[in-house]
Every structure is written in structure tokens, then in C-alpha cells.
Amino acid sequence: MLFHVRMNVNLPHDLPASDVAEILQKEKAYSQELQRNGTWRHIWRIAGQYANISIFDVADNEELHRLLSGLPLFKFMDIEVMPLLRHPSAVRDDDR
């Protein structure tokens, strides 16, 4: 199943810089592994915001929830999820 996921990150201003650096390092490694295995299909930064739009390809809602809640930044995020279905007028059979 494909899901459109918007993630807005809200790091506390009083979070120590060393903690931020450690969280971001873990976040990058986790997200890049999901991208390499094809689960996290696409990620785009939203210009001017600490936010992204991503496309996930997972078996079901439960898997998506597990992956998102495993993000090191999860507790600092507001997340919106929209399930996607192939549009009947689409000219491609995939999401290229």
C-alpha cells in the first residue's frame, strides 16, 4: 500500500545541541535504510519549513505505524497520513 506522509518537525529550542546531533544522525541512518530497501519510496523537503512529504510503500497501516513510530524524531513530529490508490486515469502502472 502506498501512503503520502507529511512530517513537520518541531524540535524544542532548549534541546542541547549534542542531543540534536545524535538524534539527527540516527534519523538519517534509519530513514536511508528504509529508502534503500524500497519501503520509503520518496522524500521531498518542503521549502522554507522543517518538514517533508514522503511516499511509503508498506503492507498495511500497522507496518506504517511501526516504521513511523520508530523514527528517532517521532516524538518531535506532527504527522499527517493519507492512503493512496492508483487513479483510473493514470497512464503508468507504477509510481515513476
XYZ file of all heavy atoms in Angstrom:
792
model
N 0.846 -1.183 0.000
C 0.000 0.000 0.000
C 0.885 1.238 0.000
O 1.871 1.289 0.719
C -0.890 0.038 1.247
C -1.898 -1.080 1.348
S -2.885 -0.967 2.877
C -3.797 0.540 2.580
N 0.485 2.209 -0.785
C 1.219 3.475 -0.807
C 0.546 4.480 0.122
O -0.689 4.564 0.188
C 1.252 4.047 -2.218
C 2.050 3.263 -3.259
C 1.919 3.928 -4.621
C 3.496 3.136 -2.857
N 1.378 5.248 0.832
C 0.893 6.286 1.734
C 1.673 7.569 1.490
O 2.899 7.550 1.360
C 1.096 5.875 3.202
C 0.205 4.764 3.647
C 0.601 3.448 3.509
C -1.035 5.027 4.212
C -0.203 2.405 3.928
C -1.851 3.993 4.634
C -1.446 2.685 4.496
N 0.940 8.671 1.431
C 1.516 10.016 1.404
C 1.608 10.452 2.861
O 0.613 10.418 3.592
C 0.565 10.927 0.614
C 0.863 12.377 0.697
N 0.508 13.164 1.781
C 1.454 13.202 -0.185
C 0.871 14.406 1.556
N 1.444 14.457 0.370
N 2.808 10.824 3.299
C 3.017 11.189 4.701
C 3.696 12.557 4.758
O 4.744 12.757 4.144
C 3.890 10.143 5.426
C 4.112 10.537 6.882
C 3.263 8.755 5.330
N 3.065 13.471 5.471
C 3.684 14.777 5.726
C 4.195 14.771 7.158
O 3.455 14.432 8.081
C 2.696 15.921 5.543
C 3.349 17.259 5.819
C 2.411 18.427 5.724
N 3.108 19.621 6.190
C 3.148 20.762 5.533
N 2.525 20.887 4.388
N 3.797 21.796 6.044
N 5.473 15.124 7.324
C 6.087 15.167 8.647
C 6.597 16.575 8.921
O 7.442 17.083 8.171
C 7.255 14.182 8.718
C 6.838 12.738 8.584
S 8.271 11.642 8.575
C 8.088 10.916 6.949
N 6.055 17.197 9.953
C 6.515 18.502 10.411
C 7.322 18.280 11.688
O 6.818 17.681 12.637
C 5.340 19.424 10.712
C 4.481 19.676 9.500
O 4.976 19.860 8.410
N 3.191 19.656 9.685
N 8.553 18.759 11.695
C 9.442 18.552 12.836
C 9.443 19.813 13.701
O 9.577 20.926 13.196
C 10.877 18.226 12.368
C 11.797 18.013 13.563
C 10.876 17.005 11.453
N 9.291 19.612 15.012
C 9.251 20.717 15.976
C 10.216 20.416 17.116
O 9.806 19.949 18.177
C 7.840 20.882 16.537
C 6.812 21.086 15.451
O 6.857 22.073 14.741
N 5.904 20.146 15.302
N 11.500 20.665 16.885
C 12.498 20.422 17.933
C 12.416 21.515 18.994
O 12.327 22.701 18.649
C 13.908 20.404 17.338
C 14.264 19.189 16.489
C 15.608 19.400 15.805
C 14.294 17.938 17.337
N 12.454 21.153 20.264
C 12.452 22.168 21.330
C 13.705 23.038 21.243
O 14.804 22.526 20.996
C 12.451 21.344 22.618
C 12.080 19.954 22.225
C 12.459 19.795 20.790
N 13.535 24.324 21.458
C 14.676 25.252 21.361
C 15.695 25.014 22.466
O 16.872 25.358 22.299
C 14.188 26.698 21.387
C 13.332 27.046 20.216
N 13.832 27.154 18.936
C 12.007 27.273 20.115
C 12.858 27.444 18.097
N 11.735 27.520 18.791
N 15.277 24.406 23.565
C 16.194 24.188 24.674
C 16.837 22.800 24.659
O 17.547 22.425 25.585
C 15.487 24.418 26.005
C 14.294 23.496 26.222
O 13.862 22.815 25.267
O 13.770 23.475 27.354
N 16.614 22.035 23.586
C 17.245 20.724 23.462
C 18.738 20.927 23.203
O 19.101 21.651 22.269
C 16.595 19.939 22.322
C 16.885 18.452 22.212
C 16.400 17.708 23.464
C 16.206 17.871 20.988
N 19.606 20.324 24.008
C 21.047 20.524 23.810
C 21.495 20.133 22.398
O 21.026 19.141 21.827
C 21.681 19.606 24.865
C 20.631 19.453 25.923
C 19.316 19.480 25.168
N 22.424 20.910 21.870
C 22.925 20.685 20.507
C 23.481 19.278 20.337
O 23.327 18.665 19.273
C 23.974 21.734 20.150
N 24.120 18.748 21.364
C 24.671 17.395 21.263
C 23.558 16.356 21.126
O 23.703 15.374 20.397
C 25.546 17.074 22.472
O 24.796 17.164 23.671
N 22.435 16.574 21.819
C 21.290 15.674 21.690
C 20.684 15.757 20.296
O 20.337 14.743 19.695
C 20.213 15.993 22.734
C 20.630 15.662 24.154
O 21.724 15.077 24.348
O 19.859 15.992 25.076
N 20.564 16.981 19.783
C 20.025 17.184 18.438
C 20.901 16.463 17.415
O 20.398 15.739 16.549
C 19.914 18.687 18.093
C 19.567 18.885 16.619
C 18.881 19.367 18.982
N 22.212 16.636 17.514
C 23.133 15.997 16.560
C 23.000 14.480 16.599
O 22.971 13.822 15.549
C 24.568 16.418 16.859
N 22.892 13.910 17.794
C 22.765 12.464 17.927
C 21.443 11.958 17.329
O 21.421 10.966 16.602
C 22.843 12.056 19.394
C 22.749 10.567 19.606
C 22.824 10.172 21.081
O 23.238 10.996 21.910
O 22.461 9.021 21.386
N 20.360 12.660 17.619
C 19.043 12.275 17.077
C 19.049 12.354 15.558
O 18.557 11.448 14.877
C 17.928 13.164 17.670
C 17.761 12.886 19.166
C 16.604 12.938 16.940
C 16.920 13.924 19.896
N 19.605 13.431 15.016
C 19.631 13.604 13.558
C 20.488 12.546 12.877
O 20.145 12.073 11.786
C 20.107 15.007 13.187
C 19.182 16.154 13.603
C 19.778 17.498 13.216
C 17.779 15.986 13.013
N 21.587 12.163 13.507
C 22.431 11.096 12.950
C 21.649 9.788 12.893
O 21.662 9.078 11.876
C 23.689 10.929 13.791
C 24.587 9.804 13.313
C 25.731 9.534 14.286
O 25.632 9.800 15.478
N 26.812 9.010 13.759
N 20.953 9.446 13.962
C 20.149 8.221 13.997
C 18.996 8.290 13.001
O 18.681 7.308 12.331
C 19.612 7.982 15.411
C 20.678 7.597 16.400
C 20.094 7.432 17.793
C 21.169 7.061 18.794
N 20.614 6.948 20.155
N 18.355 9.458 12.898
C 17.240 9.648 11.970
C 17.693 9.418 10.528
O 17.022 8.736 9.751
C 16.676 11.067 12.124
C 15.498 11.383 11.243
C 14.187 10.873 11.805
O 14.143 10.438 12.969
O 13.195 10.909 11.060
N 18.840 9.986 10.178
C 19.353 9.844 8.812
C 19.642 8.383 8.493
O 19.253 7.881 7.435
C 20.611 10.698 8.640
C 21.155 10.675 7.238
C 22.336 11.638 7.092
C 22.824 11.698 5.668
N 23.919 12.680 5.514
N 20.309 7.685 9.399
C 20.638 6.274 9.168
C 19.365 5.433 9.023
O 19.263 4.596 8.116
C 21.502 5.742 10.310
N 18.397 5.655 9.898
C 17.140 4.901 9.870
C 16.376 5.158 8.565
O 15.948 4.225 7.885
C 16.301 5.303 11.080
C 14.980 4.588 11.236
C 14.915 3.294 11.752
C 13.779 5.219 10.916
C 13.699 2.642 11.925
C 12.561 4.579 11.087
C 12.531 3.293 11.595
O 11.325 2.660 11.760
N 16.240 6.438 8.210
C 15.470 6.770 7.005
C 16.171 6.292 5.733
O 15.518 5.824 4.798
C 15.189 8.273 6.937
O 16.367 9.007 6.699
N 17.489 6.379 5.700
C 18.197 5.945 4.495
C 18.131 4.426 4.327
O 18.061 3.943 3.196
C 19.634 6.450 4.503
C 19.691 7.938 4.245
C 21.096 8.480 4.163
O 22.059 7.850 4.602
N 21.233 9.669 3.600
N 18.121 3.689 5.415
C 17.963 2.235 5.310
C 16.581 1.893 4.748
O 16.450 1.028 3.881
C 18.163 1.563 6.677
C 17.980 0.062 6.624
C 18.925 -0.648 5.636
O 20.044 -0.169 5.403
O 18.518 -1.698 5.097
N 15.545 2.589 5.207
C 14.194 2.360 4.681
C 14.110 2.755 3.202
O 13.402 2.114 2.426
C 13.162 3.127 5.502
C 12.966 2.642 6.942
C 12.016 3.584 7.692
C 12.464 1.211 6.985
N 14.845 3.792 2.814
C 14.871 4.183 1.402
C 15.580 3.123 0.560
O 15.109 2.764 -0.522
C 15.560 5.541 1.245
C 14.738 6.692 1.806
C 15.507 7.978 1.780
O 15.818 8.494 0.709
N 15.836 8.502 2.952
N 16.692 2.623 1.065
C 17.442 1.603 0.324
C 16.646 0.323 0.120
O 16.751 -0.321 -0.917
C 18.754 1.285 1.046
C 19.815 2.325 0.872
C 21.147 1.907 1.490
N 22.008 3.052 1.581
C 22.149 3.822 2.657
N 21.506 3.549 3.773
N 22.954 4.854 2.635
N 15.833 -0.051 1.121
C 15.070 -1.299 0.975
C 13.740 -1.093 0.244
O 12.985 -2.038 0.066
C 14.893 -2.013 2.318
C 13.877 -1.380 3.232
O 12.962 -0.682 2.802
N 14.011 -1.633 4.518
N 13.445 0.148 -0.194
C 12.268 0.410 -1.003
C 10.996 0.723 -0.224
O 9.966 0.999 -0.822
N 11.072 0.705 1.086
C 9.891 1.000 1.905
C 9.563 2.487 1.881
O 8.413 2.871 1.794
C 10.142 0.541 3.367
O 10.433 -0.849 3.348
C 8.942 0.787 4.235
N 10.591 3.314 1.992
C 10.431 4.774 1.948
C 10.769 5.176 0.523
O 11.912 5.399 0.162
C 11.372 5.423 2.941
C 11.078 6.854 3.298
C 10.568 7.822 2.505
C 11.323 7.460 4.569
N 10.473 8.998 3.187
C 10.932 8.805 4.459
C 11.845 7.005 5.768
C 11.044 9.699 5.528
C 11.956 7.893 6.821
C 11.549 9.215 6.702
N 9.749 5.228 -0.339
C 9.958 5.392 -1.783
C 10.507 6.751 -2.177
O 11.376 6.853 -3.032
C 8.636 5.196 -2.519
C 8.163 3.783 -2.593
C 8.883 3.063 -3.741
N 8.232 1.819 -4.012
C 7.253 1.662 -4.894
N 6.814 2.664 -5.594
N 6.719 0.477 -5.048
N 9.929 7.802 -1.604
C 10.307 9.168 -1.988
C 10.298 10.050 -0.759
O 9.496 9.841 0.157
C 9.318 9.751 -3.007
C 9.174 8.942 -4.242
N 10.096 8.977 -5.264
C 8.225 8.056 -4.627
C 9.705 8.146 -6.228
N 8.576 7.575 -5.857
N 11.174 11.052 -0.754
C 11.171 12.058 0.294
C 11.532 13.401 -0.333
O 12.489 13.488 -1.108
C 12.128 11.691 1.455
C 12.060 12.734 2.568
C 13.534 11.453 0.964
C 12.790 12.338 3.847
N 10.727 14.410 -0.031
C 10.968 15.766 -0.524
C 10.882 16.728 0.649
O 9.952 16.663 1.453
C 9.922 16.196 -1.552
C 9.954 15.400 -2.807
C 10.753 15.590 -3.892
C 9.131 14.271 -3.114
N 10.477 14.642 -4.853
C 9.480 13.820 -4.399
C 8.119 13.591 -2.432
C 8.873 12.739 -5.008
C 7.520 12.500 -3.035
C 7.893 12.097 -4.315
N 11.832 17.619 0.745
C 11.783 18.695 1.730
C 10.784 19.736 1.253
O 10.680 20.010 0.051
C 13.158 19.325 1.877
C 13.130 20.548 2.787
C 14.449 20.867 3.359
N 14.729 19.856 4.365
C 15.906 19.680 4.915
N 16.921 20.430 4.539
N 16.107 18.754 5.826
N 10.072 20.329 2.190
C 9.169 21.437 1.876
C 9.963 22.725 2.071
O 10.469 22.988 3.173
C 7.916 21.411 2.772
C 7.158 20.092 2.562
C 7.028 22.616 2.481
C 6.002 19.878 3.511
N 10.113 23.499 1.016
C 10.943 24.704 1.056
C 10.493 25.645 2.174
O 9.303 25.894 2.343
C 10.877 25.423 -0.291
N 11.473 26.107 2.933
C 11.214 27.080 3.978
C 10.644 26.513 5.270
O 10.307 27.269 6.174
N 10.532 25.187 5.371
C 9.979 24.567 6.569
C 10.865 23.406 6.999
O 11.585 22.833 6.192
C 8.572 24.031 6.291
C 7.573 25.076 5.886
C 6.218 24.464 5.590
O 5.812 23.486 6.192
N 5.514 25.049 4.638
N 10.787 23.065 8.271
C 11.451 21.841 8.737
C 10.386 20.759 8.627
O 9.755 20.364 9.611
C 11.963 22.003 10.155
C 12.962 20.950 10.577
C 13.594 21.038 11.805
C 13.292 19.864 9.762
C 14.512 20.071 12.207
C 14.203 18.911 10.152
C 14.814 19.024 11.382
O 15.722 18.070 11.787
N 10.154 20.326 7.396
C 9.065 19.393 7.094
C 9.385 18.666 5.803
O 10.208 19.126 5.008
C 7.748 20.149 6.954
N 8.730 17.523 5.610
C 8.894 16.796 4.360
C 7.592 16.130 3.966
O 6.694 15.940 4.782
C 10.035 15.772 4.455
C 9.703 14.566 5.292
O 8.920 13.708 4.885
N 10.285 14.469 6.469
N 7.533 15.799 2.694
C 6.476 14.973 2.122
C 7.158 13.694 1.667
O 8.168 13.738 0.962
C 5.786 15.647 0.908
C 5.117 16.956 1.315
C 4.832 14.689 0.218
C 3.904 16.800 2.192
N 6.608 12.564 2.081
C 7.210 11.284 1.745
C 6.160 10.321 1.224
O 4.977 10.459 1.520
C 7.872 10.679 2.984
O 8.962 11.465 3.397
N 6.618 9.346 0.447
C 5.772 8.244 -0.012
C 6.353 6.952 0.557
O 7.532 6.658 0.367
C 5.721 8.161 -1.555
C 5.228 9.463 -2.161
C 4.865 6.960 -1.986
C 3.797 9.836 -1.825
N 5.509 6.212 1.275
C 5.890 4.920 1.841
C 5.150 3.815 1.106
O 3.983 3.983 0.724
C 5.521 4.851 3.329
C 6.446 5.633 4.213
C 6.300 6.997 4.376
C 7.470 4.994 4.882
C 7.149 7.711 5.199
C 8.340 5.698 5.701
C 8.175 7.069 5.864
N 5.809 2.693 0.928
C 5.221 1.504 0.314
C 5.323 0.372 1.334
O 6.392 -0.206 1.532
C 5.961 1.153 -0.965
C 5.297 0.043 -1.757
O 4.264 -0.487 -1.308
O 5.826 -0.297 -2.826
N 4.214 0.101 2.016
C 4.202 -0.879 3.106
C 3.018 -1.830 2.936
O 2.109 -1.583 2.143
C 4.113 -0.174 4.477
C 5.378 0.625 4.755
C 2.894 0.732 4.559
N 3.016 -2.890 3.717
C 1.954 -3.898 3.612
C 0.612 -3.377 4.114
O -0.427 -3.694 3.545
C 2.348 -5.151 4.390
N 0.638 -2.578 5.183
C -0.630 -2.155 5.790
C -0.394 -0.993 6.760
O 0.731 -0.547 6.959
C -1.305 -3.327 6.516
C -0.399 -4.035 7.507
O 0.500 -3.388 8.081
O -0.596 -5.250 7.710
N -1.502 -0.534 7.377
C -1.444 0.580 8.327
C -0.528 0.266 9.504
O 0.192 1.136 9.998
C -2.841 0.896 8.876
C -3.783 1.381 7.811
O -3.369 1.914 6.798
N -5.064 1.205 8.039
N -0.579 -0.963 9.958
C 0.219 -1.366 11.119
C 1.717 -1.230 10.834
O 2.480 -0.731 11.670
C -0.121 -2.796 11.521
C 0.561 -3.249 12.787
C 0.120 -4.633 13.233
O -0.940 -5.118 12.797
O 0.874 -5.228 14.011
N 2.145 -1.675 9.654
C 3.562 -1.549 9.309
C 3.962 -0.080 9.223
O 5.029 0.311 9.720
C 3.885 -2.258 7.991
C 5.364 -2.173 7.643
C 5.731 -2.823 6.319
O 4.841 -3.273 5.570
O 6.942 -2.873 6.032
N 3.119 0.747 8.611
C 3.432 2.166 8.520
C 3.567 2.771 9.915
O 4.515 3.505 10.189
C 2.367 2.917 7.715
C 2.633 4.413 7.576
C 3.897 4.687 6.776
C 1.431 5.105 6.964
N 2.627 2.458 10.788
C 2.679 2.993 12.148
C 3.969 2.563 12.856
O 4.639 3.372 13.513
C 1.461 2.545 12.959
C 1.478 3.062 14.348
N 1.190 4.370 14.659
C 1.795 2.447 15.515
C 1.320 4.552 15.966
N 1.682 3.394 16.503
N 4.339 1.309 12.702
C 5.555 0.798 13.326
C 6.791 1.539 12.814
O 7.657 1.949 13.592
C 5.689 -0.706 13.067
C 6.910 -1.336 13.729
C 7.011 -2.840 13.456
N 6.949 -3.205 12.055
C 7.960 -3.084 11.185
N 9.116 -2.600 11.580
N 7.811 -3.458 9.930
N 6.861 1.749 11.497
C 8.012 2.446 10.912
C 8.068 3.901 11.358
O 9.130 4.409 11.724
C 7.980 2.360 9.392
C 8.150 0.969 8.794
C 7.956 1.012 7.290
C 9.496 0.378 9.165
N 6.929 4.582 11.323
C 6.903 5.994 11.710
C 7.221 6.174 13.188
O 7.981 7.069 13.560
C 5.547 6.624 11.383
C 5.210 6.761 9.898
C 3.805 7.324 9.720
C 6.233 7.603 9.168
N 6.655 5.326 14.025
C 6.913 5.468 15.463
C 8.342 5.073 15.816
O 8.829 5.418 16.896
C 5.903 4.670 16.281
O 5.991 3.294 16.012
N 9.042 4.395 14.908
C 10.448 4.061 15.110
C 11.407 5.179 14.731
O 12.608 5.089 14.993
N 10.887 6.243 14.110
C 11.745 7.369 13.745
C 12.297 8.036 15.003
O 11.540 8.341 15.929
C 10.956 8.406 12.940
C 10.547 8.019 11.525
C 9.489 8.974 10.993
C 11.771 8.006 10.614
N 13.602 8.273 15.079
C 14.163 8.951 16.243
C 13.544 10.330 16.501
O 13.476 10.773 17.642
C 15.653 9.058 15.914
C 15.899 7.840 15.058
C 14.653 7.745 14.198
N 13.078 11.006 15.457
C 12.431 12.315 15.617
C 10.924 12.212 15.900
O 10.264 13.240 16.043
C 12.637 13.168 14.357
C 14.014 13.788 14.168
C 14.127 14.418 12.780
C 14.292 14.832 15.244
N 10.394 11.007 15.973
C 8.944 10.802 16.075
C 8.293 11.659 17.153
O 7.269 12.303 16.918
C 8.623 9.325 16.316
C 7.167 9.022 16.434
C 6.345 9.005 15.309
C 6.597 8.749 17.671
C 4.998 8.728 15.409
C 5.248 8.464 17.786
C 4.439 8.452 16.650
N 8.868 11.711 18.340
C 8.233 12.456 19.431
C 8.253 13.965 19.213
O 7.573 14.702 19.910
C 8.867 12.099 20.776
C 10.296 12.514 20.948
C 10.800 12.048 22.312
C 12.257 12.411 22.527
N 12.710 11.935 23.842
N 9.006 14.416 18.209
C 9.064 15.837 17.882
C 8.288 16.173 16.601
O 8.426 17.273 16.072
C 10.519 16.288 17.710
C 11.383 15.987 18.895
C 12.394 15.047 18.801
C 11.182 16.627 20.101
C 13.212 14.758 19.891
C 11.979 16.348 21.196
C 12.994 15.415 21.095
N 7.498 15.228 16.100
C 6.825 15.407 14.807
C 5.314 15.500 14.938
O 4.708 14.863 15.796
C 7.111 14.221 13.882
C 8.509 14.109 13.406
S 8.644 12.653 12.318
C 10.216 12.947 11.583
N 4.740 16.285 14.043
C 3.311 16.230 13.750
C 3.234 15.540 12.395
O 3.869 15.986 11.428
C 2.698 17.632 13.659
C 2.717 18.355 14.995
O 2.445 17.708 16.020
O 3.023 19.566 15.010
N 2.475 14.446 12.321
C 2.449 13.621 11.113
C 1.026 13.517 10.583
O 0.093 13.277 11.344
C 3.004 12.208 11.419
C 4.453 12.298 11.892
C 2.885 11.307 10.195
C 5.055 10.977 12.334
N 0.887 13.709 9.278
C -0.388 13.514 8.586
C -0.202 12.392 7.569
O 0.747 12.409 6.798
C -0.814 14.785 7.846
C -1.056 15.973 8.740
C -1.347 17.233 7.928
O -1.769 17.130 6.754
O -1.111 18.319 8.466
N -1.125 11.438 7.567
C -1.029 10.272 6.680
C -2.258 10.226 5.779
O -3.380 10.398 6.241
C -0.941 8.963 7.504
C -0.969 7.748 6.598
C 0.298 8.964 8.378
N -2.014 9.977 4.486
C -3.098 9.794 3.528
C -2.828 8.532 2.719
O -1.806 8.453 2.034
C -3.192 10.985 2.571
C -3.699 12.253 3.211
S -3.867 13.593 2.013
C -2.185 14.216 2.003
N -3.714 7.519 2.788
C -3.551 6.336 1.944
C -3.786 6.718 0.484
O -4.623 7.568 0.176
C -4.615 5.365 2.430
C -5.448 6.096 3.413
C -4.863 7.437 3.653
N -3.034 6.101 -0.408
C -3.126 6.407 -1.840
C -3.614 5.193 -2.619
O -3.270 4.056 -2.310
C -1.757 6.820 -2.379
C -1.115 8.046 -1.734
C 0.301 8.234 -2.260
C -1.951 9.289 -1.966
N -4.395 5.463 -3.640
C -4.857 4.443 -4.584
C -4.518 4.895 -5.989
O -4.525 6.088 -6.282
C -6.378 4.267 -4.493
C -6.932 3.795 -3.163
C -8.443 3.912 -3.170
C -6.523 2.361 -2.913
N -4.235 3.950 -6.842
C -3.960 4.267 -8.241
C -5.198 4.926 -8.853
O -6.309 4.466 -8.674
C -3.628 2.974 -8.992
C -3.359 3.137 -10.447
C -1.968 3.578 -10.821
N -0.916 3.026 -10.001
C 0.142 3.755 -9.620
N 0.265 4.996 -9.986
N 1.068 3.227 -8.873
N -4.990 6.030 -9.539
C -6.095 6.743 -10.193
C -6.434 6.037 -11.502
O -5.530 5.635 -12.245
C -5.701 8.195 -10.469
C -6.862 9.059 -10.795
N -7.464 9.040 -12.018
C -7.535 9.950 -10.035
C -8.460 9.907 -12.020
N -8.528 10.468 -10.823
N -7.715 5.870 -11.820
C -8.079 5.145 -13.039
C -7.628 5.834 -14.330
O -7.526 5.193 -15.370
C -9.604 5.049 -12.974
C -10.042 6.030 -11.964
C -8.888 6.275 -11.041
N -7.311 7.126 -14.266
C -6.834 7.835 -15.458
C -5.314 7.878 -15.559
O -4.775 8.476 -16.493
C -7.375 9.270 -15.462
O -8.779 9.268 -15.550
N -4.604 7.269 -14.613
C -3.135 7.277 -14.650
C -2.640 6.540 -15.899
O -3.188 5.519 -16.291
C -2.576 6.615 -13.396
N -1.588 7.093 -16.516
C -1.044 6.488 -17.733
C 0.061 5.480 -17.448
O 0.507 4.771 -18.344
C -0.538 7.548 -18.728
C -1.696 8.426 -19.197
C 0.588 8.374 -18.126
N 0.518 5.396 -16.195
C 1.559 4.429 -15.814
C 1.005 3.444 -14.792
O 0.125 3.767 -14.015
C 2.750 5.158 -15.208
C 3.483 6.023 -16.214
C 4.728 6.653 -15.590
N 5.334 7.568 -16.502
C 5.013 8.850 -16.625
N 4.104 9.382 -15.843
N 5.624 9.614 -17.486
N 1.574 2.264 -14.777
C 1.167 1.249 -13.814
C 1.994 1.298 -12.537
O 1.779 0.497 -11.631
C 1.307 -0.154 -14.429
C 0.298 -0.374 -15.531
O -0.783 0.248 -15.501
O 0.603 -1.174 -16.436
N 2.959 2.210 -12.469
C 3.796 2.329 -11.265
C 3.852 3.801 -10.851
O 3.130 4.633 -11.388
C 5.183 1.757 -11.522
C 5.902 2.443 -12.664
O 5.520 3.576 -13.040
O 6.854 1.861 -13.200
N 4.712 4.120 -9.899
C 4.748 5.493 -9.401
C 6.006 6.252 -9.827
O 6.495 7.105 -9.122
C 4.593 5.519 -7.878
C 5.746 4.842 -7.158
O 6.536 4.147 -7.807
O 5.862 5.040 -5.937
N 6.495 5.954 -11.024
C 7.669 6.673 -11.532
C 7.389 8.142 -11.650
O 6.302 8.574 -11.920
C 8.063 6.147 -12.910
C 8.680 4.794 -12.858
C 9.045 4.307 -14.224
N 7.801 4.055 -14.965
C 7.634 4.244 -16.260
N 8.604 4.658 -16.976
N 6.509 3.985 -16.844
